[in-house]
Amino acid sequence: MTLPNITLADFLPLLPALIMVVGASILLLSEVFLSSSASRGYQAVLTVATAVASGLTALGLMFEPPHAVFLGYGVLDPFSSFLTLVVCVGLALAALASVSFLRKRGAERGEFYALMLFASAGMSLLAMSAEFITLFVNLEVLSVATYALTAYLRRGTRPSEAGFKYFILGAFSSAVLLYGTALLYGATGTTKLADMAGPLSQALATAPALVYTGAILVAAGFAFKVAAVPFHMWTPDVYEGAPTPVTALMSAGVKAAAFAAMVRVFLTVGKGMDPHMPLALFSTLALLTMVVGNLLAIPQRNVKRMLAYSSIAHAGYLLLGVAALFVTAPGEHFRILGASALTGGTPLDVARSDALRGILYYLLAYTFSAVGAFALVSALERREDEDKGTAWDLERFSGLAQRRPGWAFAMTAFMLSLGGIPPTIGFMSKLLIFQSAIDVGLVGLTIVAVLSSAAGVYYYLRVVVYMFMRPVPEGAQTLERSWGTEVALVISTVAVVLLGIIPGRVSEWLAHAGTLFGQ
Amino acid sequence: MNVELVLFGAFALLTLLSAGLVILARSPINSAMALVSTFFFLAGIYVLLWAHTVAVVQVLVYAGAIMVLFLFVIMLLNLGESAHRGKPTLSRILGGASAVGLLGVLGITLSRVPAQPANLGPQAQATFGTMASIGQSIFTQWLLPFEAVSLLLLVAMVGAVVVAKSRI
């Protein structure tokens, strides 16, 4: 009997996820010994510490050479390590924002943080999956954890509706993804992404319908997870009904991990396909998502809902970056100068690596800005107003600049960053994505992206106008401060502003992270 | 006529018979019990195919765990015998039509299957489907997804408890 050689080194890329699972297990087990009135302040601290440890591990792994592990079922490459880092940032900020949110509702429990950690471990594992069954199981780990988190607070109709909707539609989308996977397996006889490209090009000649249906179903499954139009219907209701810190984690982490998996699947499997097919698919999705997301966000007076629609719009800009990965004939006015010229390789490789970097940086930028914005929303909302639906109304932000100038400044930074206005990280990341799209010749699509993000500035700046130019409403609630939210706001504001001006070390890491195994 | 063929015929007939009972029985409990016996006879057919593991899992998981859940639900909902019979409602007509359509599609597909089985890739080894070979592939080749499934089960369990408890 010959056994394949799996060594301890194969477990190395799992380390960030393992740290999170261990942290979650400690939280679950320690909860057993606590009475219902015991102080649970340590839980958020432990979660943040776990996220930091895991993020630092991922940072260390980023400089390992890319290689396959577990006989090709997983990979370790800078791309997946950077993504784990983004997930850890989102997790730490969301956990900090949860402290006062849960305390105000008397719902502080170890299970909440444990599920957050499990979801993040699933995201990290999803980013490194290189085989369809592994990928599906990891996608389910993160989905099941977020379903439970969405339904965590079940008082009132909104959370139950959100949890139920997310669960049913999420299960449906997983089934669609799995069906597409089964069709691709039927066409190729393998589930390993790396082994698929060869048989796929043969299958494309004999049974093109099978391959295309499979690829489109897989793309539809991912499009649901990243909330791309026309698979976005669930997003506003679920984002609004879920506890705000969970919404923050969902908008940043789930989206990031699903994007990473989608990029890996289509870049690896797409080699066996006509490249025009993924290009057409992602261009269409990007166009629809950018335009519809922004148009639907404009009339929203509910800030949480507005952020949900804005998250759809941001998925659109990211899809533009994904579409740029599949252009085979780059434009003639190809950029020679710049850091990417140093890496060598054909113009196409450079363009692809640029687009990958753009996507990763955009995900990092969106994580800081969106999680920060959701943290502030959670600081302003009150449990009693949720059923009336006024908890997240724009009026809440009226005169915030007079009452809490620091909060108003932070929110302004997040809004400018989401709108893509310099000098913020949001501007830099949009610049990178649009630049890589122009480089490969997607000029028309980029013009649409710029125009629709200009439309987006309207609803972002409206929040700023309310904060600075409206009087404080009479009988406004007192604004309680809590250390968790304040720390989250300070970290994300500093990151949003500073990384927009001096990217520093992050750009070094990023220059490294545009490498996908097997590319 | 060898023993295997006789056994196959018996199992196949009994499977069809109990499957028929599942849809024809008037009380849901009888229906569920007929489903249990269907699973058992199917397991017999799996054994004849040398798929011992599938047979054991079939009995353990389907006939054991899942059917107990079925019976629990039937008892909890206190379902009696179905009262309205023979009334052609829209859902019945649609259901019947799609069943007939499925039968047609299956028939057409079956008629196109060549009499001699096609050579679908490498021949299965003699050990295929045995407990040893499944264990070997789970703990070597499929180690990563297998461990991920254990994480998934843990998450699902914690999630179910969190959602079901009413304290918060």
Side-chain angles (χ1 to χ4, degrees), chain A residues 253-479:
Chain A
V254 174
K255 181 168 288 179
F259 259 107
M262 184 163 79
V263 164
R264 189 183 299 288
V265 166
F266 277 91
L267 268 187
T268 323
V269 175
K271 279 186 201 158
M273 269 188 260
D274 182 4
H276 290 102
M277 188 252 168
L279 177 63
L281 197 67
F282 289 119
S283 311
T284 317
L285 278 178
L287 182 71
L288 284 175
T289 311
M290 288 185 296
V291 174
V292 174
N294 276 310
L295 285 183
L296 288 177
I298 287 175
Q300 296 302 325
R301 282 192 58 84
N302 178 334
V303 176
K304 203 174 172 185
R305 225 173 154 80
M306 180 273 276
L307 285 172
Y309 281 113
S310 113
S311 133
I312 299 176
H314 284 277
Y317 307 135
L318 280 160
L319 281 167
L320 173 65
V322 177
L325 291 171
F326 296 100
V327 177
T328 42
E332 286 168 14
H333 38 271
F334 198 71
R335 194 160 46 99
I336 308 291
L337 293 173
S340 49
L342 301 172
T343 53
T346 64
L348 199 64
D349 288 339
V350 176
R352 205 164 260 184
S353 177
D354 267 355
L356 277 180
R357 267 195 287 273
I359 292 170
L360 283 177
Y361 195 57
Y362 203 97
L363 288 170
L364 182 71
Y366 184 71
T367 300
F368 276 124
S369 330
V371 177
F374 278 119
L376 199 88
V377 169
S378 82
L380 290 182
E381 71 184 90
R382 275 192 311 176
R383 162 81 189 86
E384 302 83 65
D385 300 328
E386 269 175 35
D387 286 333
K388 282 184 277 174
T390 57
W392 309 289
D393 196 86
L394 263 177
E395 285 297 329
R396 280 285 139 113
F397 288 83
S398 293
L400 191 69
Q402 295 159 39
R403 303 169 69 198
R404 289 257 183 266
W407 288 12
F409 175 74
M411 193 63 176
T412 309
F414 303 145
M415 288 298 120
L416 291 182
S417 173
L418 287 174
I421 298 169
T424 55
I425 189 172
F427 169 73
M428 289 303 293
S429 60
K430 271 212 178 68
L431 191 68
L432 276 180
I433 289 243
F434 292 173
Q435 194 180 29
S436 61
I438 294 263
D439 275 349
V440 295
L442 290 175
V443 179
L445 210 54
T446 313
I447 291 174
V448 174
V450 171
L451 288 179
S452 62
S453 73
V457 171
Y458 166 73
Y459 55 81
Y460 293 126
L461 284 189
R462 191 163 56 179
V463 177
V464 179
V465 167
Y466 266 81
M467 287 192 301
F468 284 90
M469 298 180 187
R470 293 288 171 104
V472 184
E474 282 184 32
Q477 89 224 33
T478 51
L479 296 172

Side-chain angles (χ1 to χ4, degrees), chain B residues 144-157:
Chain B
L144 182 60
F146 180 71
E147 296 295 340
V149 166
S150 66
L151 180 61
L152 176 59
L153 287 178
L154 177 64
V155 172
M157 211 155 59

Side-chain angles (χ1 to χ4, degrees), chain A residues 3-4 6, chain B residues 133-143 146-147:
Chain A
L3 290 176
I6 293 176
Chain B
S133 69
I134 285 180
Q136 192 190 330
S137 69
I138 279 184
F139 289 104
T140 57
Q141 203 187 346
W142 294 92
L143 183 64
F146 180 71
E147 296 295 340

Side-chain angles (χ1 to χ4, degrees), chain A residues 49-224:
Chain A
T50 314
V52 169
S54 172
L56 290 178
T57 318
L59 197 56
L61 288 176
M62 205 185 296
F63 298 95
E64 295 275 322
H67 60 273
V69 290
F70 289 104
L71 314 171
Y73 282 67
V75 289
L76 173 63
D77 53 12
F79 181 76
S80 61
S81 304
F82 193 88
L83 198 108
T84 305
L85 186 68
V86 173
V87 167
C88 290
V89 168
L91 169 68
L93 294 176
L96 284 171
S98 309
V99 181
S100 72
F101 183 89
L102 293 179
R103 191 167 295 160
K104 270 192 267 179
R105 287 161 177 75
E108 226 178 4
R109 293 284 181 280
E111 290 90 348
F112 182 85
Y113 295 105
L115 282 171
M116 269 188 161
L117 283 166
F118 280 137
S120 309
M123 294 166 200
S124 166
L125 289 172
L126 181 62
M128 55 151 288
S129 308
E131 191 261 349
F132 265 123
I133 291 176
T134 317
L135 188 140
F136 177 74
V137 173
N138 290 327
L139 187 69
E140 284 303 286
V141 170
L142 86 88
S143 306
V144 168
T146 37
Y147 301 151
L149 282 171
T150 307
Y152 182 73
L153 296 167
R154 287 193 325 287
R155 286 185 297 216
T157 51
R158 268 164 214 272
S160 335
E161 185 202 338
F164 203 68
K165 206 172 240 178
Y166 194 31
F167 178 58
I168 298 289
L169 289 175
F172 180 70
S173 80
S174 299
V176 168
L177 180 76
L178 198 61
Y179 188 37
T181 312
L183 291 183
L184 287 182
Y185 173 69
T188 60
T190 177
T191 54
K192 276 191 211 173
L193 298 182
D195 298 349
M196 242 181 195
L200 205 59
S201 49
Q202 288 171 12
L204 207 54
T206 53
L210 190 64
V211 175
Y212 284 133
T213 316
I216 288 174
L217 286 177
V218 169
F222 280 126
F224 178 91

